[in-house]
Amino acid sequence: SSSASYYSLSVSCFTALLLDIMIVAGLQKLAKRKGPYDVTPGLLDYLTMDTYAFPAGHASRVAMLSKFFLNHLVLAIPLRILLVLWALCVGFSRVMIGRHHITDVLSGFVFGYLQFRLVELIWMSSNTCQMLISIW
């Protein structure tokens, strides 16, 4: 789409995802909390910065994106319910596969919501987003 609102939405979503990756990685390096099972991280875990469990990065991203979509897209009620269920399933699947404690996931949900609020505060105008996209 070439609409101005699309540019604003996509740039803000991209900014939110980058912010999430940086904040979660920083918090994980500070907390250094391991997951529930003492598994030695593999090479892929080191490359994807997935060696610590608190807060759960998947949970923070899915909570932030769900809130983002719920606020900025016009969705029917069944789609809104599916979006919330998707977020819950992603978050709690991390507990079920043994990568996170339940508190890691719950804190990930909270951090995801807080990051959404932060991105809402620094929301960029459509003109600014079009300028940024034209530079890339």
Side-chain angles (χ1 to χ4, degrees):
S1 175
S2 61
S3 71
S5 63
Y6 172 77
Y7 287 132
S8 182
L9 186 67
S10 59
V11 169
S12 295
C13 188
F14 181 71
T15 303
L17 288 170
L18 286 177
L19 180 70
D20 179 75
I21 290 170
M22 291 185 293
I23 289 174
V24 168
L27 289 171
Q28 285 180 345
K29 296 293 183 199
L30 285 173
K32 294 186 180 187
R33 179 177 175 178
K34 297 286 186 182
Y37 300 114
D38 192 21
V39 178
T40 306
L43 177 63
L44 186 59
D45 292 324
Y46 284 113
L47 291 175
T48 59
M49 301 179 296
D50 197 17
T51 55
Y52 298 114
F54 178 86
H58 285 78
S60 70
R61 279 183 284 288
V62 77
M64 181 191 56
L65 285 174
S66 294
K67 185 68 177 143
F68 203 85
F69 293 149
L70 288 171
N71 269 29
H72 295 286
L73 298 179
V74 178
L75 300 173
I77 297 295
L79 289 176
R80 289 179 167 274
I81 293 169
L82 283 175
L83 194 58
V84 171
L85 287 174
W86 169 65
L88 292 172
C89 287
V90 168
F92 291 114
S93 71
R94 304 300 290 169
V95 174
M96 293 174 64
I97 64 171
R99 295 294 289 190
H100 294 283
H101 300 279
I102 189 78
T103 54
D104 300 337
V105 171
L106 293 175
S107 65
F109 286 152
V110 169
F111 282 117
Y113 176 75
L114 293 174
Q115 290 168 28
F116 164 78
R117 297 298 300 167
L118 178 62
V119 170
E120 288 289 297
L121 288 174
I122 59 170
W123 189 268
M124 291 181 249
S125 70
S126 300
N127 293 335
T128 304
C129 294
Q130 286 177 330
M131 188 260 314
L132 287 172
I133 288 173
S134 69
I135 292 173
W136 293 338

